[in-house]
Amino acid sequence: MATTTATRDDKGRFTKASGRKANGHAGNGAGRGFVVAGAAVGGAALGLLAMFGRKAIVQAPDLLADDWLGALVAEHRAVMKTFDAIEATADNMAGRRTMLLSHLKATLTKHAIEEESVIYPALRQSGQREAADELNREHGYVKQALYELGNMPAESPEWMAKLRKFRSELEAHVKEEEERLFPMLREVLSEERNKALTKAVNREGFKVA
């Protein structure tokens, strides 16, 4: 099974690193979904959704990560690849846009529950109450953007402009988490506590994936 870990570069920033190659001979549909989803959705997103099912694809980053931070970073990358796939569509591809937006919403909903139920409370306990509250507030605007996109004609140029604005705002949110707050949280927690957070993130994500 492939693994995804997060490491720091020489400037202390968080980056993603790949682990072992996945065994291409996984025996069942769910296993195949986990292997393929490690690469996240891209141009073949619709085929993956049809072949393996949304649950396997959305859940896969958690299963392929060594710890809670690696899992959340992998989910961030999967989300951005879905944005890439949507931005590659033309205005006459409303059906594809709608399907990809549905996948994006499912992924972000699961991700938000993991962070809001596990990581943000841990941030508050570590003394980062204001930062955690701000991240939680920003999640409200993520939900608002998804709602507005879902209620606009997907074939309109205004739809794509809104999607790109949404992506830019989300990237700023992700950067704050990956480069500052989440690494800081992992540093101040014990190994045992980090393992407990990993289990909790996986448990919460599996409930809603």
Side-chain angles (χ1 to χ4, degrees), residues 76 80 134-135 138 164-181:
H76 289 161
M80 296 309 163
E134 176 60 20
L135 293 176
E138 290 170 0
R164 286 173 173 150
K165 182 175 184 294
F166 173 35
R167 177 178 187 162
S168 177
E169 292 169 349
L170 189 59
E171 285 175 335
H173 173 89
V174 165
K175 182 177 181 180
E176 178 71 358
E177 290 180 337
E178 289 188 11
E179 295 188 2
R180 191 174 75 87
L181 293 172

Side-chain angles (χ1 to χ4, degrees), residues 16-28:
K16 189 181 92 172
S18 298
R20 299 187 307 275
K21 290 185 178 180
N23 182 352
H25 301 288
N28 55 46

Side-chain angles (χ1 to χ4, degrees), residues 42-65:
L46 299 181
L48 289 175
L49 288 173
M51 290 172 63
F52 303 124
R54 176 178 294 161
K55 188 176 183 73
I57 293 172
V58 172
Q59 184 63 22
D62 290 352
L63 298 175
L64 296 171

Side-chain angles (χ1 to χ4, degrees), residues 106-140:
T107 305
L108 285 171
T109 297
K110 167 183 176 289
H111 186 75
I113 288 174
E114 292 167 346
E115 291 184 335
E116 292 168 10
S117 301
V118 180
I119 303 305
Y120 295 173
L123 272 172
R124 293 185 185 97
Q125 286 184 339
S126 73
Q128 297 294 324
R129 178 175 295 275
E130 290 185 7
D133 289 347
E134 176 60 20
L135 293 176
N136 196 76
R137 186 187 71 85
E138 290 170 0
H139 275 192

Side-chain angles (χ1 to χ4, degrees), residues 147-192:
Y147 171 81
E148 292 174 359
L149 285 165
N151 286 277
M152 291 174 64
E155 66 274 13
S156 69
E158 291 80 10
W159 190 93
M160 184 58 74
K162 184 167 192 64
L163 179 102
R164 286 173 173 150
K165 182 175 184 294
F166 173 35
R167 177 178 187 162
S168 177
E169 292 169 349
L170 189 59
E171 285 175 335
H173 173 89
V174 165
K175 182 177 181 180
E176 178 71 358
E177 290 180 337
E178 289 188 11
E179 295 188 2
R180 191 174 75 87
L181 293 172
F182 288 1
M184 179 173 58
L185 176 63
R186 192 170 71 168
E187 283 294 322
V188 301
L189 297 180
S190 66
E191 181 178 356
E192 182 178 358

